[in-house]
């Protein structure tokens, strides 16, 4: 059986071989262009083989036989490549270059071989649509660089490389917008991510227009490189894309070919390790060894150009004006100059000529803090003096000190503290340095080399110095920058105001799009640090190499910085003097003290007031805290101490909110973007407590220089520490990121206004109709907050209302929620509303919240119980009294007394009834005897008095006595007589006797 199977297999192999031979007879033999050489993997002895790999498998026969290759440790120098046919290092020809043991990618007209762009489908859709994908999102080649996606899709740029030894990868990038996440990580051939620190994985933000270099070490073997981007929360037009160029990988054993110079560059000699850019007004093509000169009469070319461009007719956008320094007569000249390099033609149809220069105008005054020293220039005032710019410097009077800072409102020349530059998106810098131009009463954006250039204006402040009287204040305002500006645009221009603290990371403080009317913006510094403020203006974010929207400009009219450490003085401010009579030096005031203008001494603010840092000296600098709040010991802020009292009629409710915890959190959502990205709004709320119990929100991606301990304290550059803050959170699921990402931390409330049951306070409305009505009798308590940081959409700053509601069904920590019609917590973007339902928000329990229940008397004992009045609407405070047991003696005494009185009354009534019944019978008998004796006809005259009949007692005669004043017994008899229905009257009987019987 086995032999037959082997015979069949042998026959099949012979048949296949014959078919291949027959097919090969009709094909040509392979030539050098039909294949290329590769090395096999090194074996255990360190040797390898060179094999021929066909360009198209099966296209031709006759491939060269494998031969033994070079040793595995073999490598070529920079400027050389390994010629595989001879297996020797050979110099690169002119017009090409080599890195030796490295490869470089600097040309991005198309995606180079080996690179791929992969977009992750969004699994979360607002309507549950799983078919929503990001197929249109990818990394796009733009000639000199790669551009990432601008939306919230997660897109990865992938490249795999096999290193024979340890090496590295380096690349240049632009990452200007933290609305886009940008990470770089490495995987091995088992798809396992290699260990990386956060500093090497998450790329740091860069200034607009500037390129940064990032380098990461690589291990030998297979390395899969990932550049991944994904949006956090996109605006209408998306985020600024990340740019990538000049990727260089070191550690390959050899390169089998040289890289041709990209267009616009050249290498003149063989064995070059790099290509040089072509000079201005020259150009080169692909793999050039020299550059070709343009026809400079009608053409021009920027440095590193791949072709020459026709010069257009000159127009207003091709020249600019500036002012010369003031001369000894106080005059300045207006000079007009062509923008360099000049790329326009004069003297042709439609061309505009350069206006004549030399017109003299009066010099504008010096800026405040400077003076004219008769040398036609403005010089800073000496220390201890001040000037408004038009008068000589003057010493500050006693009891005052100079207020340091900068105030620029005249722009004859660029101030020495400011710098201007221009950055192109594709190149490191613009062809010309005309970033901004001074124009007398304002400074405006220059022309640049193209419309998508970033025009940069920068001012550096080494630190802030508080006035002497405030130098001991902690956690106060250290300084502020205020500028007045306007933008005039027809394209999609944008102005960025950025801040770089301690040269660690640049963040965008605020930005404005398109045309904006003249307005003022202020930013407050809450920490003392070295800071660089930058204005960056871009006419359009679309790729452009021409100047089409040069008339789109931004104008800045004034810039002022207070408390600058190296600043000048434009005025003096009051300071506190020493109590020593011999000293007139300014002394620092303790925290929470203001300067008394009458005595020039430090005076502490009254209780429950806070000190306004930059208010005029005097009692008015101490502002009272709002309802339900108190000030800290430094009088720097007002806060609620977790206690609140509300009186309504004769009832006083007291609250203790400490059971709610120091900080409450709310993860609201989920919400979805237009493409289905799921995100949450995470709020942290500090309800009560001072500086030590404020809420903290941080970015866990872009704030990489801060460790976890510092981040928890809110010490990061992008950290927010305040009463209420908000972060945007993107979950890890469905996005490819390994952890949930928190970004875009903002301050919602840095000032506590007060707590009250009223629905309005200081112009802020609580909107109780936004929540379900509470059937409980306990009123809601509203905590009102405000943030003094103005934004473009909230000119008066943001505000927030936290409504505390007593809900016994909730835990003491409670539950936070937002209005159903405003799922983001706000309906207008400026006022935020929160409902905090908790049993800890109920008032403190008192005696009126429970009642007594009396038990039955058993065995001479009676139990007294105390229970809460339902529903229980209180928490903490007084506890229920213990159960009591009392004897029943007091109760039996009254029962016995009542029983005795009842028995006595019954006996008395029975006795009286018997007595009156007997008496009535006697009276009836006597009456009948009288009637009988009156009607009897006797022969003898009647006696004067009725004798006592036989059988009658003399004692019965007492009934005949007439009483003028009735005794109690007589009254009872009378009542009894009336009760029997008998009405007795006085009757005169017929008798000869003078004495008559009278019944009453």
């Amino acid at each position: 059986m086995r032999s037959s199977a082997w015979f069949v297999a042998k026959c099949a192999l012979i048949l296949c071989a014959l078919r291949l031979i027959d097919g090969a007879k009709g094909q040509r033999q392979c030539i050098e262009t039909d294949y290329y050489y590769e090395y096999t993997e090194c074996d255990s002895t360190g040797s390898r083989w060179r094999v021929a790999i066909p360009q198209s498998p099966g296209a031709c026969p006759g491939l060269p036989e494998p031969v033994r290759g070079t040793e595995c440790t073999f490598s070529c120098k920079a400027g050389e490549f390994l010629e595989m046919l001879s297996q020797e290092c050979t110099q690169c020809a002119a017009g090409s270059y080599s890195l030796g043991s490295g490869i470089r990618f600097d040309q991005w007209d198309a995606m180079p071989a080996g690179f791929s762009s992969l977009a992750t489908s969004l699994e979360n859709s607002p309507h549950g649509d799983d078919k929503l994908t990001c197929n249109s999102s990818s990394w796009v080649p733009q000639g000199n660089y790669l551009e990432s996606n601008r939306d919230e899709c997660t897109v990865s740029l992938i490249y795999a490389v096999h290193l024979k030894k340890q090496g590295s990868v380096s690349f240049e990038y632009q990452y200007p917008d933290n609305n886009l996440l940008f990470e770089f990580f490495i995987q091995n051939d088992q798809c396992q991510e290699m260990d990386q620190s956060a500093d090497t994985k998450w790329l740091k933000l860069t200034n607009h227009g500037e390129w940064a270099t990032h380098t990461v070490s690589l291990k030998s073997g297979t390395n899969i490189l990932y550049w991944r981007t994904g949006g956090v929360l996109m605006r209408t037009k998306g985020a600024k894309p990340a740019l990538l160029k000049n990727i260089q990988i070191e550690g390959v054993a050899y390169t089998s070919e040289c890289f041709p110079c990209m267009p616009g560059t050249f290498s003149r000699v063989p064995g070059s390790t790099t290509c040089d850019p072509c000079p201005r007004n020259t150009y080169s093509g692909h793999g050039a060894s020299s550059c070709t000169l343009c026809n400079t009469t009608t053409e021009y070319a920027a440095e590193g150009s791949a072709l020459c461009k026709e010069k257009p007719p000159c127009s207003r956008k091709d020249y600019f004006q500036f002012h010369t320094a003031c001369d000894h007569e106080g005059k300045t000249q207006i000079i007009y100059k062509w923008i360099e390099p000049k790329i326009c033609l004069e003297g042709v149809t439609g061309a505009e000529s350069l206006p004549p220069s030399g017109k003299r105008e009066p010099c504008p005054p010096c800026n405040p803090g400077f003076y004219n020293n008769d040398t036609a220039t403005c010089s800073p005032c000496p220390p201890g003096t001040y000037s408004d710019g038009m008068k000589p410097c003057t010493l500050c009077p006693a009891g005052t000190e100079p207020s340091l800072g900068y105030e620029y409102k005249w722009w004859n020349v660029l101030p020495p503290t400011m710098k201007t530059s221009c950055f192109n998106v594709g190149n490191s810098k613009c062809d010309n340095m005309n970033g901004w131009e001074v124009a007398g009463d304002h400074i405006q954006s220059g022309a640049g080399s193209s419309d998508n250039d970033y025009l940069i204006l920068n001012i550096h402040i080494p630190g802030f110095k508080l006035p002497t009287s405030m130098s001991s204040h902690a956690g106060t305002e250290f300084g502020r920058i205020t500028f007045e500006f306007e933008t005039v645009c027809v394209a999609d221009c944008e102005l960025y105001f950025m801040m770089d603290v301690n040269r660690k990371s640049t963040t965008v403080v605020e930005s404005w799009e398109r045309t904006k009317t003249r307005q003022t913006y202020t930013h407050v510094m809450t920490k003392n640090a070295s800071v660089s403020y930058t204005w960056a203006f871009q006419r359009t974010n679309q790729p452009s190499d021409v100047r089409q929207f040069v008339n789109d400009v931004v104008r800045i009219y004034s810039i002022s910085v207070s408390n600058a450490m190296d600043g000048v003085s434009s005025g003096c401010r009051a300071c506190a003097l020493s109590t020593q009579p011999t000293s007139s030096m300014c002394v620092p005031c303790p925290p929470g003290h203001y300067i008394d203008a009458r005595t020039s001494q430090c005076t502490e603010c009254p209780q429950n007031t806070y000190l306004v840092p930059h208010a005029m000296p005097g009692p008015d600098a101490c502002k009272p805290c709002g309802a339900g709040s108190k000030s800290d010991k430094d009088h720097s802020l007002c806060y609620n101490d977790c206690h609140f009292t509300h009186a309504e009629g004769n009832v006083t409710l007291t609250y203790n909110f400490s059971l709610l915890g120091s900080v409450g959190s709310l993860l609201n959502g989920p919400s979805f973007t237009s493409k289905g990205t799921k995100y949450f709004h995470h709020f942290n709320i500090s309800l009560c407590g001072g500086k030590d119990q404020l809420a903290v929100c941080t970015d866990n991606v872009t704030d990489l220089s801060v460790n976890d301990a510092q981040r928890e304290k809110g010490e990061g550059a992008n950290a927010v520490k305040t009463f209420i803050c908000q972060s945007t959170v993107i979950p890890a699921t469905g996005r490819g990121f390994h952890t949930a990402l928190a970004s875009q931390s903002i301050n919602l409330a840095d000032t506590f206004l007060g707590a009250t049951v009223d629905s309005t306070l200081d112009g802020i409305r609580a909107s109780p109709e936004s929540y379900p009505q509470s059937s409980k009798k306990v009123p809601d308590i509203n905590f009102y907050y405000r943030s003094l940081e103005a934004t473009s959409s909230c000119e008066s700053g943001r505000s927030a209302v936290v409504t505390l509601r007593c809900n016994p069904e909730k835990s003491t920590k409670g539950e936070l929620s937002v209005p159903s019609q405003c799922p983001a917590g706000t309906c207008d973007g400026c006022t935020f509303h929160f409902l905090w339902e908790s049993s800890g928000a109920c008032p403190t329990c008192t005696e009126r919240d429970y009642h007594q229940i009396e038990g039955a008397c058993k065995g001479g004992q009676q139990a007294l119980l105390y229970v809460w009045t339902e529903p229980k609407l209180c928490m903490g405070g007084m506890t229920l009294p213990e159960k009591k047991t009392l004897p029943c003696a007091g109760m039996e005494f009254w029962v016995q007394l009542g029983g005795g009185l009842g028995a006595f009354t019954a006996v008395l009534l029975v006795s009286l009834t018997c007595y009156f019944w007997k008496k009535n019978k006697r009276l009836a008998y006597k009456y009948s005897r009288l009637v009988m004796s009156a009607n009897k006809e006797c022969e003898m005259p009647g006696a004067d008095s009725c004798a006592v009949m036989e059988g009658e007692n003399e004692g019965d005669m007492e009934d005949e006595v007439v009483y003028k004043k009735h005794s109690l017994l007589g009254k009872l008899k009378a009542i009894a007589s009336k009760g029997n229905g008998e009405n007795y009257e006085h009757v005169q009987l017929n008798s000869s006797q003078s004495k008559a019987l009278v019944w009453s």
Side-chain angles (χ1 to χ4, degrees), residues 610-625:
Y610 68 98
L611 182 64
V612 180
H614 292 269
M616 294 295 294
D620 293 338
C622 302
K623 302 296 182 182
C625 294

Side-chain angles (χ1 to χ4, degrees), residues 701-723:
V701 176
T702 57
D703 206 2
L704 301 176
S705 60
V706 183
N707 57 40
D708 293 338
Q710 292 174 313
R711 188 176 289 115
E712 291 178 0
K713 296 179 181 179
E715 297 178 355
N718 298 323
V720 176
K721 188 174 183 180
T722 183
F723 285 105

Side-chain angles (χ1 to χ4, degrees), residues 398-401 468 575-588 600:
T400 63
E401 62 179 335
T468 303
C575 68
L577 299 179
S578 172
T579 56
Q580 309 256 341
T582 59
S583 175
S584 61
M585 297 295 293
C586 294
V587 296
S600 296

Side-chain angles (χ1 to χ4, degrees), residues 138 141 159 227 230 259 269 280 350 367 384 401 427 550 654 786 895:
S138 65
Y159 182 76
W227 292 266
F259 300 99
V269 297
R280 184 175 298 156
N367 282 308
E401 62 179 335
N427 301 318
V550 72
T654 60
R786 173 169 282 136
V895 171

Side-chain angles (χ1 to χ4, degrees), residues 142 192 209 292 364 395 461 557 566 586 709 894 945:
Q142 296 288 358
Q192 297 174 340
T292 305
L395 283 170
I461 306 299
Y557 294 93
D566 59 345
C586 294
W894 291 108
S945 62

Side-chain angles (χ1 to χ4, degrees), residues 482-500:
T482 303
F483 58 93
E484 186 179 5
F485 73 99
E486 70 175 348
T487 57
V488 180
C489 302
V490 296
D492 56 336
C493 69
E494 190 161 5
L495 173 66
Y496 300 88
F497 175 61
M498 300 175 291
M499 178 177 66
D500 183 0

Side-chain angles (χ1 to χ4, degrees), residues 406-409 411 418 459 461 464 477 479-485 497 512 519-525 533 535 556-563 614:
Y406 290 108
E407 186 177 355
Y408 300 124
K409 57 183 181 180
W411 304 92
M418 305 187 73
I459 180 172
I461 306 299
F464 296 88
E477 176 184 322
R480 59 175 60 193
I481 180 170
T482 303
F483 58 93
E484 186 179 5
F485 73 99
F497 175 61
W512 299 268
Q519 56 187 278
T520 300
Y521 179 80
T522 299
H523 176 72
V524 177
M525 278 296 297
Y533 296 110
W535 295 264
I556 297 180
Y557 294 93
S558 64
I559 299 175
S560 63
V561 182
S562 64
N563 300 337
H614 292 269

